[in-house]
Amino acid sequence: MKVNGTHYRSIWFDHDLSEVRIIDQRWLPHRFEVVSLTTLDAFATAIRDMWVRGAPLIGATAAYGMAIEMARDASDAAMNHAWDKLHTTRPTAINLKWALDRCRAALLPLPVDERAGAALQLAHEIADEDVEINRNIGLNGLEIIRQIAARKPAGEPVRLLTHCNAGWPATVDWGTATSPMYHAFEEGIPIHVWVDETRPRNQGAMTSWELGSHGISHSYITDNAGGHLMQQGMVDMVITGTDRTTATGDVCNKIGTYLKALAARDNGVPFYVALPSPTIDWTVRDGVAEIPIEDRPEREVTFALGKLTDGTIGEVQVAPDGSPGGNPAFDVTPARLVTGLITERGVAEASEAGLAKMFPDLKGRAQ
Ligand SMILES: CSC[C@H]1O[C@H](OP(=O)(O)O)[C@H](O)[C@@H]1O
């Protein structure tokens, strides 16, 4: 998407530098910084410490990390070591394993001297596929927004609520939950987006930054305001991303998503999830019981990172000295609370049958 008039993907290969470039999201929205990742360790650090984040982007980054390692050492041992090192960076988003497995399956059968080139080409393909998947999720989500708009007086905005950042910084481009918003905006459908701040990493600030950069009307609200807004009839639909969706339609997403889904159900507000097919884990049926929930550092909760009054970026301690923090980074929304899964192929029912019907060619695939 565009930043100050310049189009960016969140990750790309700079052919002049012959380096992989990323937007270092640790400093967004206050500082826009592009850095290169040139070693396997740098890729692992970037994923683990959320220089890059978001399920689809984590997968694409892992693929480029594999490619950079193959350029250094394309042996089986190096490939397996890279797989292990990258896979252990973050446990919840299934796109990480999906991308690494896809790379290893494609590269292992190749002669060693062909692997580096093939790995880079595959990373490009995974990135390009993500862009097209997300563009199509946007078109399928646009239809829902159109239907809501048609039921409103002319000019009255469709009011969407979203949680965390499932926007273009969480993917290679377009975003997943934000893609329908961009398509609606381009079509001239008036929308307003309630953006949950999403403690503790405040990815909602990123969503507000990207929507604001695109001229989309939005409000940056506290995490706890969403239920009240729904109760007051101020939300027409909720749309979030997902880090792992089970074969039965349970949705694992940023912590707090489950609470929004409960409030949406209680207030008759449709709750949609933007779901790229690589984010489906066909091997898991019970999300609450089976999906590993990342436990992140306490400091992310006991301190807050932001722009200080002198304009620099820094931390302030929000918790009292000595108070331990708890920081589960995701939760699971059971399929029964999900109105529909907006995929690149269409809107699927949040059920085993619904996903099997939408993806008959993928169901049962070992993740
Ligand atoms: C398009 S997937 C985005 C998904 O990833 C985020 O998690 P994190 O920022 O910790 O990588 C969040 O769950 C978003 O919905």
Side-chain angles (χ1 to χ4, degrees):
M1 299 315 283
K2 286 198 173 167
V3 179
N4 299 326
T6 302
H7 179 268
Y8 284 92
R9 285 185 172 188
S10 55
I11 188 170
W12 67 95
F13 188 78
D14 185 314
H15 292 277
D16 296 334
L17 297 173
S18 196
E19 291 176 351
V20 175
R21 305 281 278 169
I22 62 161
I23 297 166
D24 185 344
Q25 300 188 31
R26 289 176 296 171
W27 318 120
L28 288 179
H30 305 300
R31 191 164 76 216
F32 182 81
E33 196 167 299
V34 175
V35 297
S36 290
L37 301 178
T38 58
T39 66
L40 179 64
D41 282 350
F43 276 89
T45 299
I47 296 171
R48 181 185 311 106
D49 296 347
M50 296 174 67
W51 302 20
V52 292
R53 40 145 306 272
L57 178 56
I58 288 170
T61 303
Y64 276 112
M66 179 64 78
I68 294 302
E69 183 62 0
M70 290 298 97
R72 184 192 69 82
D73 177 351
S75 66
D76 289 9
M79 188 186 306
N80 290 328
H81 171 69
W83 192 101
D84 291 336
K85 189 172 188 68
L86 292 166
H87 184 247
T88 55
T89 53
R90 295 190 73 189
T92 303
I94 192 60
N95 307 60
L96 179 56
K97 184 176 185 295
W98 168 82
L100 290 170
D101 284 350
R102 183 170 167 185
C103 290
R104 186 155 64 178
L107 299 174
L108 268 181
L110 297 180
V112 170
D113 62 359
E114 294 179 13
R115 289 175 175 176
L120 186 59
Q121 181 53 38
L122 180 53
H124 295 332
E125 286 171 13
I126 288 171
D128 291 343
E129 286 170 14
D130 182 59
V131 174
E132 188 59 12
I133 284 172
N134 299 333
R135 189 181 70 84
N136 285 304
I137 285 174
L139 292 173
N140 294 323
L142 170 63
E143 192 46 45
I144 297 169
I145 296 173
R146 279 192 189 122
Q147 290 167 10
I148 294 172
R151 298 196 293 267
K152 283 176 164 290
E156 204 171 290
V158 175
R159 299 150 311 168
L160 303 96
L161 183 141
T162 193
H163 190 66
C164 196
N165 175 257
W168 74 263
T171 67
V172 177
D173 206 342
W174 282 107
T176 57
T178 57
S179 188
M181 301 172 191
Y182 290 123
H183 283 83
F185 180 78
E186 294 307 320
E187 190 164 286
I189 298 174
I191 61 172
H192 183 81
V193 186
W194 302 112
V195 181
D196 288 350
E197 64 178 335
T198 314
R199 282 273 295 148
R201 295 286 299 236
N202 291 44
Q203 289 97 325
M206 248 181 254
T207 303
S208 297
W209 169 74
E210 72 168 279
L211 295 178
S213 301
H214 209 79
I216 294 177
S217 172
H218 65 281
S219 302
Y220 182 62
I221 61 173
T222 63
D223 283 330
N224 299 319
H228 166 70
L229 295 177
M230 292 186 227
Q231 223 170 33
Q232 297 295 315
M234 297 169 72
V235 180
D236 296 309
M237 69 181 279
V238 178
I239 183 168
T240 76
T242 174
D243 293 84
R244 188 184 310 209
T245 291
T246 70
T248 58
D250 292 344
V251 170
C252 183
N253 195 52
K254 183 54 54 196
I255 193 79
T257 304
Y258 172 45
L259 294 177
K260 292 301 173 312
L262 288 171
R265 175 53 53 90
D266 192 52
N267 291 282
V269 175
F271 182 90
Y272 286 97
V273 175
L275 169 64
S277 57
T279 311
I280 302 170
D281 183 348
W282 298 100
T283 70
V284 170
R285 299 179 56 77
D286 181 340
V288 174
E290 298 180 69
I291 296 177
I293 301 298
E294 181 181 19
D295 227 11
R296 290 196 63 85
E298 294 183 28
R299 189 181 178 90
E300 291 183 354
V301 181
T302 55
F303 283 73
L305 183 79
K307 184 160 71 172
L308 305 179
T309 49
D310 65 3
T312 61
I313 293 176
E315 283 184 312
V316 293
Q317 182 174 331
V318 289
D321 293 340
S323 285
N327 191 8
F330 299 94
D331 60 25
V332 175
T333 298
R336 60 180 165 80
L337 296 176
V338 179
T339 306
L341 300 167
I342 306 172
T343 78
E344 65 270 27
R345 294 185 186 176
V347 181
E349 181 187 277
S351 67
E352 181 168 16
L355 284 172
K357 183 179 174 189
M358 191 64 73
F359 298 102
D361 50 327
L362 300 182
K363 173 168 170 50
R365 176 182 67 176
Q367 195 61 30

